[in-house]
Structure formats: C-alpha cells, structure tokens
Amino acid sequence: MPSDRPPRPEPGTIASVLYNVRRVPKRVRRQSRDFIETAVSQLFDAAVRHPHGTAASGEYRIDDLARLAGTTTRNIRVYRDRGLLPPPLRVGRIALFNDTHLTRLRLITSMLDRGYNLAHVQEMLSAWEQGKNLGDVLGLETAIVGTWTTEKPETMALVDARRLVDDPTAFERLVALQVIRVDGAQATVTRPKLIEAFNEIRGYGVKLEKLVDLHEQIVPQIDKISDLLVRAGAEHVLDKIKPGQALPADAEIAELITMLVRFRTQAVATVTATLASSIESSIESLASRILADYLERSPEGGAEAPPDELAERRRQAN
C-alpha cells in the first residue's frame, strides 16, 4: 500500500531540517530551549549552503575579484608575485580570495592611480604594516583617505537607472534622498551597493518602499554614531594642536594624521562588528520564536501540547 507521506526532502536543506524537527515528539521539544537553538543553528547552516557550487558571500574567484576591484586577473597575479597580496585560500585547484584581498587590492589600485609605482607601493605598505617611518607613510595615508573604502558612484542612462530600480515611486524617493542624482538624460547612482542590496532583498518578496523607509530611518541614526566617533577623534587632535600655539613637530603631526586614519578604519570595523553581532542576536531570537510557533502548530510528532505548556514554551523561546 503506497504511503501518503510526502517524499523526504534532500538532506542538508531547510526543508530537510524542518522535516526532521517536526518528526521529533513534542514532549522532547518541550524539555529545554536547547532543542530550538540547535534547530535554528541547523536552519542557518542550511540557508548559507550553495548547492550549485557558487562561492559563499565574501569569497571570490580571481575573475570576480578583478571585476569588483576594477582591475585585471593579470594584475592580481603580478601583485601576488610581488608580495603585495597575501596568498588565496586553495580549495582543490580553485583559488578563493576574500574581502581582505578585495580591500587590499582596491588600496593598491588607488595608489597606482595616484602615480605610485609598484616598488613604492610595496615599500609604503611594508612601512604601514610595521608601524614605522610615519613621515614616509604620509603618501599612503593620502591614498587611504581617498575614496577606495567607499562606494564609487555609477553613471548610466536615466532609462537604465529607472530600470535598475524598477519602481517609479521608490525611484523618486531615492532621488530625494540623493541615493540617485538625475542630470538630464543621465543618472548617477551614488550608492550602487545599497541598490544592489535592495534588489536582492526584493527577491524575497520585501517591497522596495519598505526598504527605502528603513534606509530613511537608519541614516539619521548612523549620522549620530558618526558624529560621536568623529568628535572623539577631533578632541584628541585639538588637545595636541591648540589655537594660537606653535604647531607640534612634523613627526607628531604625522602621528596624529596616522591616528586619525587608523581611527576611521578601526571605528568602521568596530561599529560594523557590533552591528553585525546585534543583528545576528536579533535574527536568532526571531528565528527561535518563529520556529517555536511553527512546531506548536505542527500536526506531526504527537498530540498538541496543553495551552499552559505552549505558553511556557514561548517563554523559553524568548
């Protein structure tokens, strides 16, 4: 007699994880919060897998790395041979680069665009990494203070920009927010990565209007954080360089400039890490609540728990 049960999902998928947790008796699910936490961890692991063999986010093959950095694969190999780039991760015969390589490559490209040669770039990178010869590294600081760490605006035909956003109302709002600048028949996307992120999230069914709303609400908060950080760095500089007094020695000024550049770099890194940790914690908490409710409503794995037990399970999940 054929079974009425649907076929078991492919192992390692989200459907497979949910299939397994639904089969666990509900009395086991209620024993502790560990069950929900383990299931959430398995769901996250399944979600980040790429069954078609594509690299994970932040991992790039050499062709992708060259495209993102605006250079060529030949140049990347030259920089590797000269020791300007660290070796990639080897997975079999495939070389995988990461965001550290991308950042370093953008810096090298920026310095070369400013007229430095490879030997000079290598010398300054070495001095920068070893924290010495600060006066000689000021050229490197100038390169770093440039726009290599920020998004590069992309100019295109207005019709292409509208097609990229694909939402007339949202397009006008993005123009008002200066995410897009319109000049006649051309448009400049000042935040191409933001638009790219919007379009990816839209693929999951989130409306663009909602994403623009979030951006509009978040920017003022980011500005407040930026103001706090910049004022902290400025106070340190103003304590060293006082109006009406002689300037410090060149070496001390060089050190202050270096401090400000590193302050910016580390501030961005720490804020990013803190935000990522906070978002991760919030997502895990939300996923735990959703999964707990899902399991409570599941008809499989035994009879439904009494109302008081459901309330206790919700409390544990939170």
Side-chain angles (χ1 to χ4, degrees):
M1 179 176 175
S3 172
D4 293 332
R5 286 182 177 272
R8 183 164 185 164
E10 179 184 350
T13 63
I14 291 178
S16 175
V17 175
L18 292 177
Y19 176 87
N20 290 331
V21 298
R22 290 176 64 197
R23 288 169 58 86
V24 175
K26 296 200 173 193
R27 63 179 181 276
V28 175
R29 302 175 191 168
R30 295 194 298 269
Q31 287 179 354
S32 71
R33 186 176 177 178
D34 292 344
F35 175 81
I36 294 293
E37 291 179 344
T38 300
V40 168
S41 177
Q42 292 173 345
L43 285 171
F44 285 177
D45 287 344
V48 300
R49 290 196 181 97
H50 297 265
H52 301 297
T54 55
S57 176
E59 291 184 346
Y60 316 102
R61 297 195 181 194
I62 190 168
D63 291 341
D64 297 325
L65 182 69
R67 175 178 54 81
L68 291 170
T71 187
T72 66
T73 57
R74 180 180 179 278
N75 285 341
I76 292 175
R77 292 188 177 95
V78 170
Y79 304 154
R80 276 283 300 112
D81 293 342
R82 296 291 295 268
L84 299 177
L85 286 174
L89 172 67
R90 291 283 177 181
V91 180
R93 302 177 67 178
I94 299 174
L96 289 180
F97 299 83
N98 58 33
D99 287 329
T100 300
H101 294 94
L102 180 58
T103 297
R104 180 91 165 203
L105 188 55
R106 283 174 173 164
L107 173 58
I108 293 169
T109 302
S110 172
M111 295 173 69
L112 292 173
D113 288 345
R114 292 168 186 263
Y116 297 108
N117 57 41
L118 283 179
H120 200 188
V121 170
Q122 187 170 27
E123 179 183 352
M124 288 191 293
L125 283 174
S126 177
W128 170 256
E129 291 171 344
Q130 296 174 28
K132 55 188 179 183
N133 298 328
L134 292 175
D136 294 336
V137 181
L138 285 180
L140 174 61
E141 305 302 344
T142 302
I144 293 177
V145 174
T147 59
W148 67 275
T149 58
T150 60
E151 296 181 70
K152 293 183 178 180
E154 294 181 3
T155 299
M156 61 189 72
L158 178 58
V159 64
D160 292 334
R162 290 188 178 278
R163 189 181 298 115
L164 180 66
V165 174
D166 196 26
D167 185 317
T169 302
F171 184 89
E172 296 305 323
R173 290 186 63 190
L174 290 171
V175 170
L177 293 169
Q178 297 185 339
V179 175
I180 298 175
R181 294 197 302 264
V182 176
D183 183 13
Q186 283 195 319
T188 299
V189 180
T190 62
R191 297 288 310 281
K193 290 183 180 178
L194 181 67
I195 301 299
E196 182 181 345
F198 280 177
N199 285 335
E200 180 179 344
I201 298 301
R202 289 171 71 188
Y204 293 95
V206 181
K207 292 184 178 180
L208 183 55
E209 282 289 314
K210 176 64 175 178
L211 296 174
V212 177
D213 286 343
L214 286 172
H215 175 70
E216 201 168 16
Q217 295 169 36
I218 289 171
V219 167
Q221 307 303 320
I222 296 295
D223 287 343
K224 289 180 181 178
I225 295 172
S226 174
D227 183 61
L228 286 171
L229 293 170
V230 171
R231 276 193 285 132
E235 288 171 0
H236 178 73
V237 172
L238 294 175
D239 186 56
K240 300 289 185 181
I241 303 178
K242 300 183 183 298
Q245 297 185 10
L247 287 174
D250 289 350
E252 189 172 349
I253 293 179
E255 187 172 356
L256 285 173
I257 294 172
T258 300
M259 184 279 297
L260 284 175
V261 173
R262 297 304 296 163
F263 184 88
R264 185 192 70 165
T265 301
Q266 294 305 323
V268 170
T270 53
V271 169
T272 300
T274 302
L275 180 61
S277 176
S278 176
I279 291 176
E280 181 178 359
S281 177
S282 297
I283 288 176
E284 288 178 352
S285 177
L286 173 63
S288 294
R289 292 197 299 272
I290 292 173
L291 183 59
D293 287 342
Y294 168 83
L295 294 175
E296 287 168 7
R297 292 174 173 78
S298 171
E300 301 181 28
E304 186 63 73
D308 57 336
E309 293 184 4
L310 292 180
E312 173 61 19
R313 194 180 316 156
R314 289 193 184 98
R315 186 192 66 78
Q316 290 182 352
N318 290 326

